[in-house]
Amino acid sequence: MTTNFPRRVFILSGLAAFLSGCADKFRTYNGPKVTRLRMYKAQRLLVLDGKAGVLRTFPIGLGFAPQGHKQFEGDGRTPEGTYVIDRRNPDSLFHLSIGISYPNAADIAFAESQGKSPGGDIFIHGGPRKGIDPMNKRDWTAGCIAVTDRQIEEIYAMVKNGTPIDIYA
């Protein structure tokens, strides 16, 4: 029995090391470059395009008021239009997140003409953390684009800052 003890310890240590490696939220991606993201709000679909066509698609959730273009801070809408992935947050409350360059100059000008703030901090991010109770399972964010934690890990690895994103109604 004592001859099997070191072997069991070795096997269990190896298994623990393997599983801890699987838990890492930072993945690597060595495939074709993502050249553009397309998001279709009505279909709740995010498409990652490369030079040769579609690389990946993901189902998404939206802001709690999903119809219409985001105009003002707190309206619960997800923007529509052309933006750019402009930042990353590895310490997001929502696992990981990548930022969208909303508001653009037109968004700011419109909101200011109405005497309001356009809002900001629009991200593609993972699911809600413990203690955050989504209003419903599909569209629960304050205007962001939600995917699962595993999906944001893929997206975070694949999509680089500067990648354009087109958001369609």
Side-chain angles (χ1 to χ4, degrees):
M1 187 130 229
T2 57
T3 58
N4 286 336
F5 180 74
R7 183 172 181 229
R8 285 185 188 167
V9 170
F10 177 77
I11 289 170
L12 289 175
S13 296
L15 181 60
F18 173 76
L19 291 176
S20 69
C22 292
D24 186 10
K25 65 184 178 180
F26 298 105
R27 296 181 181 206
T28 58
Y29 174 72
N30 297 317
K33 179 181 177 183
V34 175
T35 57
R36 179 171 295 280
L37 286 78
R38 290 178 288 133
M39 195 189 86
Y40 299 93
K41 289 171 61 173
Q43 291 80 20
R44 304 299 192 280
L45 187 67
L46 177 65
V47 179
L48 278 59
D49 289 325
K51 251 182 158 177
V54 174
L55 299 173
R56 283 288 270 122
T57 61
F58 300 93
I60 59 169
L62 300 171
F64 61 83
Q67 295 176 345
H69 174 58
K70 180 166 194 61
Q71 296 178 319
F72 310 116
E73 183 173 6
D75 65 9
R77 294 179 178 167
T78 302
E80 296 169 2
T82 298
Y83 299 93
V84 173
I85 300 303
D86 65 351
R87 61 201 181 280
R88 314 173 90 59
N89 184 355
D91 300 316
S92 172
L93 292 175
F94 303 98
H95 192 58
L96 292 170
S97 61
I98 58 174
I100 296 173
S101 63
Y102 176 88
N104 62 27
D107 298 322
I108 294 167
F110 177 77
E112 286 179 352
S113 76
Q114 304 299 305
K116 297 185 178 186
S117 166
D121 287 338
I122 301 297
F123 288 86
I124 301 171
H125 60 66
R129 300 287 93 209
K130 289 181 182 174
I132 296 174
D133 185 24
M135 295 175 89
N136 66 51
K137 292 183 189 244
R138 187 175 188 185
D139 298 322
W140 58 269
T141 76
C144 294
I145 297 107
V147 295
T148 68
D149 287 353
R150 184 173 283 291
Q151 291 167 338
I152 192 59
E153 289 172 5
E154 277 187 72
I155 295 165
Y156 196 91
M158 294 176 75
V159 176
K160 304 302 177 205
N161 288 0
T163 305
I165 178 170
D166 296 315
I167 304 173
Y168 302 101

